[in-house]
Amino acid sequence: MNTRLGLGLLTMGMVGVLVAAAVSSQPSSASAQLRLTAAGDYGARAATDTVLAQVRESAPDAHLALGDLGYGDVPTEADWCSYVVSKVGRSLPFQPIAGNHDTLDGADGEIDKYSACLPNRIPGATGTYGREYYFDLPAGASPPLVRVIQVSPRLLFDEGRWTYAEGTDHHAWLAAAIDGARAEGVTWVVVSAHIPCWSVGIYECPATRDFYDLVASKRVDLVLHGHEHAYMRTKQLRSAVPGCPRIPAGSFDPDCVADADNSYRAGRGTVFATVGTGGIQLRDVSASDSEAGYFAAFQGANRSPAFGLLQIDVTRTSLAADFVPTFGSFRDSFAITMPGAAPPPDDAQPSGDPTPTATPASPAAPAVPTAEPPATASGPGVAGRPGKVRRLRVRTRGPHRVLARWLRPSDGGGSPIRGYRVRVSDAGGDSFRAWTTVRKRHKAFRKIRPRSKHVVQIRAVNAEGAGKKVTKSFRIKRR
């Protein structure tokens, strides 16, 4: 085993971020049970309020935050953490994994800063918290019921883009974490990574797909994703079998379906669930997508739209999952049972129709949103965001330095301006440096290349989020 892999499995990857807590001894019990919840793509909006309220109501042993956290809706990562804590409480384990908007890919926040203000609360967690780590629940049980593994394939960090291609340290770390759980007798293995492969949304499978092949070949019980702003859940899929050596992307192969209903047996394959319904505006899904045959249920902006979370109840004999809507009435349920265990309850039996169906809302339920909740909903919403900043100007202040100035928006959105999110591009104007937050209406930028095109972008921020970007290109003329 190489040095990095050994350290990754035996030590905390971010010293001082993972909490060192005493692990109480918990005896193994056939009646042990626990609950997980999961969602991704949050922001700080009216819909986000409802999802976080459901997290608190569900009272999970851990909530899995599947990436794309703040979206720049509040000025800083610490502000977003405070917003989350105000909704779910300080003691609830809110366990994040990076999304593209939390890394250099999207630059709406930094996962390390989110990890610092939403610290690990699971004793015995192993790895680099927020990027690549796992934990077992219940902590101290022998053996645990579930191992949750959270990883970051394809995301760009300061040290470069993380790849889980076969032969890399990341691939070896993940394989060892899965195999270690099996060897230790952990009943269930759940893996999360922000970006999905199979989808009926707008994204295609990443070109380097060894991560997806690995979890499928090892028949991980459940894999969770965000990224697509919708909910989509596959049938139980399998690979490395006659007729399906590898689950294809971009087309449907029925030989890769182990079980097509909503009641599955453990060990036969893997269920992939994308839960990008944490509060950011939903997107359309397509029933005619070339990969639609893999899916048992899905919904989006144009089809039974609903925000919400996946609630996962785990025992020694079953893993039962329910999509719980917080805006809208779409529901989905499925269950995975151990061989020899009693079948799951009737509400997890196949519906006979692989397309999602919405259950009628109760009279008191909120109206189904077409994309975002109504502007009158409580908490941060879209309608009250500030307008565009005015009179953005960029002035040269040295051979490699400029100063951007701007005026306050004419429309503050009904609440005071808290600050401004600003960023500048590298030479050429195609790639951007990270967003930063300033309180004053000016910002100096350094290391600007003379005679090259650069672009500066500004967004005003109030209590309800960030307004639209104002963009201006400029060049420093060499003197």
Side-chain angles (χ1 to χ4, degrees):
M1 178 181 293
N2 60 50
T3 300
R4 183 189 180 283
L5 176 58
L7 289 175
L9 290 172
L10 297 176
T11 66
M12 302 301 180
M14 293 175 63
V15 177
V17 177
L18 291 175
V19 172
V23 179
S24 60
S25 176
Q26 299 183 28
S28 175
S29 170
S31 61
Q33 58 183 13
L34 59 85
R35 171 172 290 175
L36 305 172
T37 53
D41 304 270
Y42 296 90
R45 309 181 182 191
T48 320
D49 285 353
T50 68
V51 174
L52 295 178
Q54 183 60 52
V55 172
R56 184 165 192 152
E57 182 177 340
S58 294
D61 294 88
H63 176 73
L64 311 182
L66 305 175
D68 284 6
L69 305 176
Y71 268 92
D73 280 0
V74 292
T76 69
E77 293 88 346
D79 290 330
W80 193 78
C81 294
S82 297
Y83 163 68
V84 170
V85 168
S86 74
K87 303 298 181 183
V88 306
R90 189 168 298 279
S91 61
L92 189 146
F94 196 94
Q95 305 289 116
I97 192 65
N100 57 297
H101 281 270
D102 316 314
T103 66
L104 297 179
D105 288 299
D108 283 329
E110 297 179 30
I111 188 59
D112 293 348
K113 292 181 180 180
Y114 289 122
S115 299
C117 54
L118 289 171
N120 172 63
R121 299 192 183 280
I122 305 295
T126 298
T128 306
Y129 181 62
R131 296 189 182 196
E132 181 182 80
Y133 68 109
Y134 70 79
F135 56 87
D136 297 336
L137 290 173
S142 181
L145 274 179
V146 62
R147 172 165 293 181
V148 176
I149 307 170
Q150 305 217 90
V151 292
S152 300
R154 199 182 171 275
L155 297 182
L156 180 63
F157 299 101
D158 289 338
E159 64 272 25
R161 189 170 299 282
W162 281 25
T163 172
Y164 283 70
E166 188 171 0
T168 63
D169 286 348
H170 294 299
H171 188 278
W173 187 95
L174 175 58
I178 297 170
D179 293 344
R182 304 295 195 202
E184 294 164 24
V186 179
T187 309
W188 305 98
V189 177
V190 175
V191 173
S192 81
H194 181 66
I195 298 174
C197 177
W198 300 281
S199 169
V200 289
I202 66 171
Y203 294 113
E204 297 180 354
C205 188
T208 303
R209 48 167 292 178
D210 291 5
F211 162 77
Y212 311 99
D213 293 338
L214 176 63
V215 294
S217 67
K218 289 189 176 294
R219 301 196 175 182
V220 166
D221 299 293
L222 176 63
V223 177
L224 300 169
H225 300 296
H227 199 47
E228 292 280 15
H229 299 173
Y231 174 82
M232 47 194 80
R233 192 261 302 175
T234 70
K235 303 162 185 175
Q236 191 179 45
L237 306 183
R238 63 184 178 180
S239 65
V241 296
C244 181
R246 186 189 200 202
I247 305 170
S251 62
F252 172 59
D253 183 348
D255 290 330
C256 299
V257 177
D259 195 336
D261 56 34
N262 300 323
S263 174
Y264 310 120
R265 289 296 182 186
R268 296 188 61 195
T270 301
V271 177
F272 296 82
T274 295
V275 196
T277 51
I280 291 296
Q281 182 174 353
L282 300 175
R283 297 193 186 112
D284 290 353
V285 292
S286 174
S288 61
D289 189 279
S290 61
E291 297 172 354
Y294 293 126
F295 287 86
F298 52 87
Q299 59 92 357
N302 61 333
R303 188 183 183 98
S304 304
F307 295 95
L309 55 78
L310 193 65
Q311 182 171 288
I312 307 161
D313 291 307
V314 182
T315 71
R316 291 286 177 202
T317 58
S318 71
L319 184 155
D322 297 277
F323 179 80
V324 180
T326 59
F327 267 96
S329 55
F330 169 88
R331 288 188 177 273
D332 177 45
S333 297
F334 64 95
I336 309 171
T337 57
M338 285 293 164
D346 289 343
D347 60 1
Q349 295 298 321
S351 64
D353 182 355
T355 58
T357 56
T359 56
S362 65
V368 178
T370 57
E372 283 283 355
T376 56
S378 62
V382 174
R385 295 186 181 192
K388 295 181 178 180
V389 302
R390 296 176 295 129
R391 296 183 64 186
L392 173 58
R393 295 168 293 172
V394 181
R395 296 288 184 264
T396 301
R397 290 293 182 264
H400 302 282
R401 180 174 176 267
V402 299
L403 180 68
R405 291 184 179 273
W406 59 91
L407 297 180
R408 182 187 301 272
S410 299
D411 177 12
S415 60
I417 300 296
R418 292 184 172 184
Y420 301 88
R421 298 278 283 176
V422 300
R423 68 177 180 177
V424 69
S425 73
D426 292 322
D430 295 325
S431 62
F432 281 83
R433 302 174 192 176
W435 288 99
T436 59
T437 301
V438 297
R439 305 291 180 181
K440 298 181 179 180
R441 295 189 297 276
H442 57 81
K443 170 66 176 174
F445 296 103
R446 303 178 186 274
K447 297 183 180 180
I448 302 299
R449 183 181 299 175
R451 295 185 178 178
S452 295
K453 176 185 175 183
H454 290 264
V455 176
V456 64
Q457 295 182 333
I458 316 286
R459 303 168 72 183
V461 179
N462 66 7
E464 300 198 0
K468 292 184 177 180
K469 291 192 294 283
V470 173
T471 298
K472 187 176 184 65
S473 61
F474 64 93
R475 298 175 190 264
I476 292 180
K477 295 181 179 180
R478 189 182 297 275
R479 296 178 179 177

